[in-house]
Amino acid sequence: MKRLITALMTAALLYGCTSGRRTVAPVNPEASPEARQLLEFLYSIRGKYTLAGQHNFISDPRRYDSVVYSVTGKRPVVWGSDFSFNALGGNIADYHHCGPMNLTSPWGECRINSLSTETLRQNLVDEIKQRHAEGRIITLMWHCCFPSECNDCDGASIWTWQNRPSNEVWKELTTEGTRLNTQWKKQMDTVIPYLEQLRDAGIPILWRPYHEMNGVWFWWCNKPGENGFKKLWIMTYNYFTKVHKLNNLLWVWNTNAPRDKKGDEAGPYADFYPGPEYVDVLAADVYHRDYKQSHHDDLQALAGDKLLALGEVGQLPDPDSYHSQPNWSWFMVWGYFINSQKTDSLPSETAVRRIYDDPRTLTLDEIDFSDGKYRLK
């Protein structure tokens, strides 16, 4: 039945009644065939199904995927991870929640693993190749230090809160040829070779850099307007796409759901949007089970015909909000949060199974990837 519904929906998407074939085009005109096919697949399920997803930390890339399987007997379709950073100083455990790569496990023992940045990132590439071969859809992000510190920094370099870059520093960062801009390129060059390996292997990536930019916590946060975050995003897009030809990337602009909690605010989506010509998917992060209808509807209004996703979630949505917000293409639970899904009425494992067993949730067993193309069985 799912195969029939998807075939009908795909036909409606790709073929108009009188106007002939319609193409779903990535924002990168040179996007790879694999990236194009993935995007078409995501459009084909829009409004009907949501892909289950799980984040896994770079130093322990199977732990939370295994938790999902042990609880549900199913595998998520979307497999996520992070290029990460090495946390320095005596307070490393304070930043475990984002998964510093030099920790054995970001949640739990928090011991130094003594592995090099290069080894960890190469291991990540190797893991991705295995997961992709299973039919997983890969999404990657990057908790990155401030560019002058490259890959090794105190966690406070990333979680700057009130110590975000001044307007003068931001201008230097986003101005071609300055010292800081050159440092930024060198920092980007530390992950580009790994993305190139994935490109050359024909693996499309849902790429979501500089997430939650409308919040107030990361160094790249809270810079609205034409010369703010928008300029950093476009600079990144151009460097990865036009300079380095990373045509396997689909660009996921990943906000935080707006909130007005004092000292932990997240501003309106539109103030940080770089424009439809630079974004394939618009995503929101929702924590504390705060699934307001406006989080979905306001993002869809900004997106127009583009896709939506739940880039990160802490607690899974309840069935009511899940079905009243139908255009989320996927959800991805953040790492260890999969162990903390208890509600007022349900224990954690029951809450996980409730969403994984929901008719609109797609899991790996329902994906046909036998010929290297995503479709429903």
Side-chain angles (χ1 to χ4, degrees):
M1 179 59 72
K2 285 184 177 178
R3 178 185 293 177
L4 174 61
I5 293 171
T6 299
L8 294 172
M9 293 175 68
T10 302
L13 176 69
L14 297 179
Y15 298 92
C17 295
T18 59
S19 58
R21 184 177 177 86
R22 174 190 170 193
T23 300
V24 177
V27 293
N28 175 9
E30 303 300 323
S32 67
E34 296 85 4
R36 290 176 181 275
Q37 196 277 322
L38 171 55
L39 190 65
E40 288 192 359
F41 171 70
L42 293 174
Y43 271 98
S44 77
I45 64 170
R46 179 171 63 174
K48 185 64 179 178
Y49 301 115
T50 298
L51 301 168
Q54 179 63 44
H55 182 82
N56 299 274
F57 296 115
I58 184 172
S59 61
D60 197 2
R62 300 187 182 186
R63 174 176 291 207
Y64 297 109
D65 201 67
S66 297
V67 170
V68 171
Y69 185 76
S70 69
V71 171
T72 68
K74 301 177 181 181
R75 301 283 186 190
V77 179
V78 176
W79 188 95
S81 197
D82 182 1
F83 279 118
S84 195
F85 72 107
N86 293 304
L88 304 178
N91 60 344
I92 292 175
D94 292 345
Y95 301 99
H96 67 88
H97 55 283
C98 75
M101 71 173 94
N102 55 331
L103 293 181
T104 54
S105 174
W107 184 268
E109 56 267 24
C110 287
R111 295 194 301 269
I112 299 296
N113 59 34
S114 300
L115 297 174
S116 71
T117 298
E118 293 75 20
T119 295
L120 286 159
R121 288 179 175 167
Q122 188 57 53
N123 288 348
L124 176 62
V125 168
D126 296 341
E127 185 74 23
I128 287 170
K129 288 179 178 179
Q130 293 181 57
R131 301 288 77 79
H132 174 259
E134 297 172 346
R136 307 297 187 99
I137 294 171
I138 308 300
T139 182
L140 291 175
M141 59 172 302
W142 190 6
H143 279 101
C144 57
C145 303
F146 192 69
S148 59
E149 297 176 282
C150 202
N151 291 311
D152 309 284
C153 62
D154 188 288
S157 173
I158 300 173
W159 287 271
T160 52
W161 294 96
Q162 299 303 316
N163 298 314
R164 293 184 299 273
S166 67
N167 290 338
E168 292 75 20
V169 171
W170 191 265
K171 182 177 180 180
E172 181 185 354
L173 170 65
T174 56
T175 298
E176 178 68 27
T178 64
R179 177 190 60 84
L180 187 53
N181 180 263
T182 299
Q183 291 174 333
W184 173 82
K185 289 178 181 177
K186 290 181 178 178
Q187 183 189 45
M188 298 299 104
D189 289 347
T190 67
V191 300
I192 283 171
Y194 303 102
L195 290 170
E196 288 175 337
Q197 288 187 52
L198 298 172
R199 175 199 63 195
D200 296 345
I203 300 175
I205 302 296
L206 297 167
W207 175 234
R208 56 182 198 101
Y210 300 124
H211 66 303
E212 301 175 357
M213 78 298 295
N214 58 328
V216 295
W217 38 92
F218 297 128
W219 66 258
W220 57 83
C221 279
N222 201 29
K223 293 289 184 181
E226 291 298 310
N227 292 315
F229 179 80
K230 179 177 180 177
K231 197 169 182 181
L232 175 64
W233 180 272
I234 294 172
M235 184 173 81
T236 306
Y237 172 86
N238 287 337
Y239 194 64
F240 280 59
T241 297
K242 296 182 179 180
V243 176
H244 287 281
K245 310 300 181 184
L246 288 167
N247 297 327
N248 59 323
L249 304 183
L250 294 172
W251 288 78
V252 181
W253 178 73
N254 192 165
T255 66
N256 199 89
R259 62 191 187 210
D260 58 5
K261 182 180 178 182
K262 186 174 177 58
D264 197 27
E265 300 89 350
Y269 296 131
D271 290 353
F272 303 85
Y273 188 44
E277 65 271 36
Y278 298 104
V279 174
D280 291 301
V281 182
L282 289 77
D285 290 356
V286 177
Y287 284 86
H288 316 298
R289 204 173 272 116
D290 184 22
Y291 288 92
K292 294 180 181 178
Q293 192 64 33
S294 61
H295 293 160
H296 173 279
D297 295 353
D298 291 353
L299 194 61
Q300 189 65 76
L302 182 63
D305 193 42
K306 291 184 181 289
L307 298 168
L308 304 187
L310 288 166
E312 293 174 23
V313 301
Q315 286 71 38
L316 289 158
D318 63 82
D320 288 342
S321 63
Y322 196 47
H323 287 267
S324 64
Q325 299 174 19
N327 286 346
W328 300 124
S329 297
W330 71 87
F331 65 75
M332 188 182 72
V333 178
W334 184 253
Y336 50 84
F337 274 90
I338 194 64
N339 292 317
S340 306
Q341 297 298 316
K342 183 179 181 297
T343 72
D344 290 341
S345 59
L346 295 174
S348 180
E349 292 189 355
T350 304
V352 174
R353 286 192 291 268
R354 178 179 62 174
I355 294 300
Y356 266 77
D357 291 340
D358 191 285
R360 75 167 294 114
T361 302
L362 291 177
T363 50
L364 186 60
D365 59 295
E366 298 173 287
I367 301 298
D368 178 1
F369 193 65
S370 57
D371 62 353
K373 295 181 179 179
Y374 296 102
R375 57 174 61 90
L376 294 187
K377 289 182 178 178

